[in-house]
Amino acid sequence: MLFEDIPGSAQIRSALIRSVQNNHVAHAQLFEGKTGGSALATALAYATYINCEDKSEHDACGRCASCIKTGKLVHPDVHMIFPIATSKLVNGNNSDAFLPVWRKFIAGTPYRTLPDWLEYIHADNKQGNIPVEESRNILKKLYLKSFEGEYKILIIWKPEILNVASANALLKILEEPPEKTLFLLVTDQADKLLTTIISRTQRIFIPALTDGQISAYLQQKCGTDAATAAEVAFVSDGNLAMALAMLGDRKNETHSWFAEWMRACFRNDITLLVRQAEEFDALSKENQKGLFDYTLRLFRDMFIWKEDIQSLLRVKDEQLGFVQNFSKTVDYPSLERMTREVNDAYFHIERNVRAKMVFLDLSLTLSMCFKR
């Protein structure tokens, strides 16, 4: 992973590169970004640059032995810790046991979420954890002399999932780190970390990706047409992991599907709503959440339209007419209730309630909110 491959990384890239060039590399850094964003990709690019054998002023070379090994996650001085769970694919109780599967997971794309990972390994539970055994592994790995690179680097993905014993063990290591050792913590929920861990790290905020950056990435890296890329970027709202998941199995009919759903709710067309519930049930979880995200954003634009603050509208021109007409069919209290109901449905989908039941219940509730 190189900095040049990461969308929207210019300012962060410059700051990180300067820290290496000026020999001001903090021993513990916290990469904090939005879910599905570029925090993990940035940490991987930084690790690549630090140990690159032929680095330039702008990026790692991508060609030397160190870059190639880091890119494949097989560099002997770059270690990774990540959440694990009881899995049908792997029999083990630490990250090392899951490492071969993890390499394949990240090789697809570094823009990942915890649910993606747990689904990928067919986890028996949907939470994941970083057990205390990992702390012992950290000590074994980091107190050895580096094999090839200048630094030993430990990347911890989702450190907020560390249990209490693991977090306390990590805290002790951060207080007295081995020489030439770097800790790169990657999180999208820094508020769940121990404050003592946060206080011992240099925090690096990774800005959320804009619609334009995601759209450009999808067009350049995935060959997506401009219209599809723009629509997916709007729905994903800075979550590139969601955008890529949606792109994988969507039919580029998000708005059409949503409009048909709202019209069926308005008409209280039970037959159509049942059919749509079955269609919704067949979608991947990311696409289900994407449709709800899209719904919430259009509801937001309806509120804004009612307040006549058009400068804040994010809706595209081709969808503006729908927003205008739809706004006439609901009043403020109804729109507020509809928003709450969609948020509740999103919550239930994330917790693996049967999607068909959630969607049909939501549809029947929304149907009662329209003015007729």
Side-chain angles (χ1 to χ4, degrees):
M1 174 58 62
L2 303 179
F3 284 119
E4 67 179 17
D5 298 323
I6 305 172
S9 66
Q11 292 182 338
I12 298 298
R13 172 178 60 191
S14 298
L16 292 174
I17 288 176
R18 282 198 305 271
S19 72
V20 178
Q21 294 172 341
N22 298 330
N23 199 26
H24 289 160
V25 180
H27 82 277
Q29 302 181 45
L30 178 63
F31 290 75
E32 181 181 349
K34 181 173 179 174
T35 300
S38 56
L40 178 58
T42 303
L44 290 169
Y46 188 44
T48 302
Y49 185 81
I50 287 171
N51 281 334
C52 176
E53 300 167 2
D54 189 24
K55 60 177 69 74
S56 71
E57 295 182 359
H58 307 290
D59 211 337
C61 71
R63 301 180 303 274
C64 68
S66 176
C67 286
I68 293 172
K69 291 177 182 178
T70 306
K72 295 180 179 179
L73 300 182
V74 295
H75 197 293
D77 296 319
V78 179
H79 309 282
M80 294 203 71
I81 287 178
F82 42 84
I84 62 173
T86 304
S87 166
K88 298 179 179 65
L89 292 182
V90 181
N91 182 20
N93 61 357
N94 58 47
S95 297
D96 284 349
F98 284 78
L99 194 54
V101 181
W102 172 260
R103 289 178 181 135
K104 295 178 181 178
F105 176 71
I106 294 298
T109 171
Y111 308 101
R112 293 296 200 173
T113 66
L114 180 58
D116 291 340
W117 168 237
L118 296 176
E119 182 178 348
Y120 189 83
I121 62 175
H122 304 294
D124 290 341
N125 70 73
K126 301 301 179 182
Q127 300 300 320
N129 70 93
I130 299 179
V132 69
E133 286 80 4
E134 295 288 12
S135 304
R136 303 187 184 100
N137 286 336
I138 291 174
L139 294 174
K140 291 178 182 178
K141 293 173 181 177
L142 299 187
Y143 279 96
L144 296 174
K145 186 177 181 180
S146 60
F147 288 88
E148 298 178 7
E150 181 180 359
Y151 289 94
K152 298 185 296 292
I153 301 174
L154 176 66
I155 300 175
I156 305 179
W157 186 57
K158 303 290 291 181
E160 66 272 16
I161 296 180
L162 286 161
N163 62 35
V164 176
S166 298
N168 288 330
L170 175 62
L171 182 61
K172 292 179 181 178
I173 299 172
L174 292 179
E175 289 174 339
E176 300 178 3
E179 186 180 0
K180 287 291 185 177
T181 299
L182 302 180
F183 297 86
L184 308 182
L185 283 64
V186 182
T187 181
D188 53 21
Q189 293 179 304
D191 57 308
K192 294 185 177 181
L193 278 168
L194 293 177
T195 54
T196 46
I197 289 181
I198 294 177
S199 66
R200 286 163 175 76
T201 62
Q202 176 179 298
R203 299 181 73 174
I204 300 172
F205 294 93
I206 310 297
L209 298 172
T210 65
D211 289 0
Q213 288 168 343
I214 290 182
S215 178
Y217 182 89
L218 296 179
Q219 292 179 65
Q220 295 168 9
K221 301 294 185 179
C222 306
T224 311
D225 64 88
T228 300
E231 185 174 331
V232 171
F234 176 76
V235 174
S236 61
D237 191 32
N239 187 331
L240 185 51
M242 177 183 289
L244 292 169
M246 292 181 65
L247 201 62
D249 59 357
R250 74 190 298 275
K251 295 182 179 180
N252 189 27
E253 294 180 353
T254 302
H255 179 70
S256 299
W257 201 94
F258 168 82
E260 183 182 25
W261 177 34
M262 289 297 102
R263 293 184 183 112
C265 290
F266 178 78
R267 298 193 305 268
N268 198 25
D269 188 339
I270 304 300
T271 301
L272 180 54
L273 291 176
V274 170
R275 178 173 63 79
Q276 287 190 312
E278 293 172 348
E279 293 174 357
F280 185 83
D281 191 60
L283 297 173
S284 68
K285 181 181 288 189
E286 287 304 315
N287 273 273
Q288 292 167 352
K289 291 161 59 177
L291 284 169
F292 282 162
D293 277 325
Y294 184 83
T295 301
L296 291 171
R297 282 188 197 91
L298 282 196
F299 284 177
R300 166 195 176 274
D301 284 332
M302 290 171 199
F303 276 113
I304 292 173
W305 177 258
K306 284 178 173 291
E307 291 292 335
D308 197 25
I309 313 177
Q310 298 187 24
S311 61
L312 297 179
L313 286 172
R314 293 184 66 239
V315 68
K316 304 302 179 182
D317 293 339
E318 61 270 22
Q319 297 153 1
L320 182 58
F322 180 86
V323 169
Q324 294 170 338
N325 293 327
F326 188 91
S327 299
K328 300 173 184 177
T329 65
V330 289
D331 53 23
Y332 278 112
S334 296
L335 194 51
E336 289 176 359
R337 182 187 177 188
M338 294 168 79
T339 302
R340 287 195 304 270
E341 294 292 340
V342 175
N343 273 312
D344 288 345
Y346 193 107
F347 176 87
H348 292 137
I349 288 294
E350 284 196 314
R351 278 145 187 83
N352 300 308
V353 179
R354 179 66 185 270
K356 182 178 179 179
M357 295 172 55
V358 171
F359 185 84
L360 186 56
D361 178 72
L362 173 64
S363 299
L364 295 175
T365 303
L366 297 184
S367 181
M368 296 186 292
C369 296
F370 287 94
K371 297 185 295 185
R372 295 180 177 87

